[in-house]
Amino acid sequence: MIKAVVFDFDGLILDSETSVYNAIQEIFSEHSSHMPLEVWQQCIGTKDFLDPFEYLEEQISKKVDSDGLRAMHHERVVAMLEGTSALPGVEDYMEAAKELGLKIGLATSSSRAWVTGYLEKLNLLPYFDCIKTADDVEHVKPDPALYREAVKCLGVKPEEAIAFEDSANGARAAKKAGLYCVVIPNEVTKGLVFGDVDHQMETMAELQFKELLRKFK
């Protein structure tokens, strides 16, 4: 029996992944360069896999102000996300899970400050019984630690929980931890190969939560 659901954040609840990539692309373009999507996709859902500004230096064969560009990138992402809403069906799924008495968790490779700030803006923070972030583990996705910590915090077994993910790194982490995994790709992850996941759909809005649960009985 499913007793809990665990959501990823970036690209799954809020499509920050597209803004992050677009802002990187703007900066690279201003330096007469380009960040290939297939390179960037390897970074999605994890942390410290690739320093984009080291990659930029390699492409243009000269030094850049990495700290300055990092700050600029963050400012542009925040500006792009101003006024954005949760992705389709997200709050409906959380509401349905609460009504059914399921525990709700979050497992993200991002920082707690980043995640909780946006969950508050989206009025979604009260839905969560447990939030696990990069601040809570030594290794982030695709390592399974975040999901293991999330289900432990929720008081359920891994096989009693469904993870919702948008990235290949996240899906690998969920499956390694023993959870079921439903993938909902976004604009920058939809071309990825997700491997042995349990279900995939375009948005949460395409299938009611109760209908999805029937697939796991």
Side-chain angles (χ1 to χ4, degrees):
M1 179 182 288
I2 300 300
K3 296 181 180 179
V5 289
V6 184
F7 293 85
D8 175 46
F9 180 72
D10 291 289
L12 189 283
I13 290 176
L14 180 71
D15 191 12
S16 47
E17 296 291 7
T18 300
S19 297
V20 168
Y21 177 65
N22 288 342
I24 281 287
Q25 207 58 284
E26 283 183 3
I27 292 171
F28 271 59
S29 179
E30 288 161 8
H31 288 78
S32 302
S33 188
H34 174 74
M35 169 62 80
L37 180 58
E38 60 271 20
V39 173
W40 186 253
Q41 284 174 331
Q42 297 175 63
C43 309
I44 297 173
T46 188
K47 195 177 180 182
D48 301 329
F49 178 83
L50 170 75
D51 185 322
F53 305 112
E54 286 183 6
Y55 183 85
L56 176 60
E57 288 179 341
E58 292 171 5
Q59 300 309 302
I60 63 176
S61 300
K62 66 178 181 181
K63 284 284 186 182
V64 298
D65 177 9
S66 295
D67 291 340
L69 291 182
R70 216 176 307 282
M72 179 191 295
H73 177 254
H74 179 76
E75 288 172 7
R76 291 188 184 187
V77 171
V78 169
M80 289 177 182
L81 291 174
E82 188 65 35
T84 53
S85 304
L87 284 162
V90 168
E91 188 165 8
D92 291 339
Y93 266 43
M94 293 181 185
E95 188 65 38
K98 279 293 184 191
E99 288 176 1
L100 292 170
L102 274 62
K103 296 289 184 68
I104 299 178
L106 187 139
T108 174
S109 296
S110 294
S111 70
R112 183 171 294 272
W114 171 264
V115 169
T116 54
Y118 277 104
L119 287 176
E120 285 178 348
K121 288 181 181 179
L122 297 169
N123 297 315
L124 297 177
L125 191 57
Y127 283 105
F128 290 93
D129 299 297
C130 179
I131 292 175
K132 292 296 179 181
T133 73
D135 303 339
D136 299 307
V137 293
E138 186 175 348
H139 301 291
V140 296
K141 304 170 188 177
D143 190 279
L146 277 164
Y147 278 108
R148 286 175 178 160
E149 288 298 313
V151 293
K152 182 180 176 182
C153 176
L154 293 171
V156 301
K157 298 174 183 176
E159 62 270 21
E160 296 173 331
I162 302 172
F164 291 94
E165 274 289 349
D166 69 291
S167 73
N169 284 315
R172 282 197 291 274
K175 293 302 291 181
K176 279 187 207 171
L179 285 75
Y180 292 105
C181 185
V182 174
V183 170
I184 304 105
N186 55 55
E187 284 302 307
V188 293
T189 64
K190 62 185 180 182
L192 291 172
V193 176
F194 292 96
D196 184 28
V197 297
D198 300 285
H199 187 65
Q200 183 170 337
M201 51 191 179
E202 291 185 8
T203 74
M204 292 184 196
E206 77 179 52
L207 187 65
Q208 288 188 356
F209 182 70
K210 289 181 180 178
E211 291 295 320
L212 178 68
L213 277 187
R214 291 193 183 101
K215 294 180 179 293
F216 296 92
K217 287 186 177 177

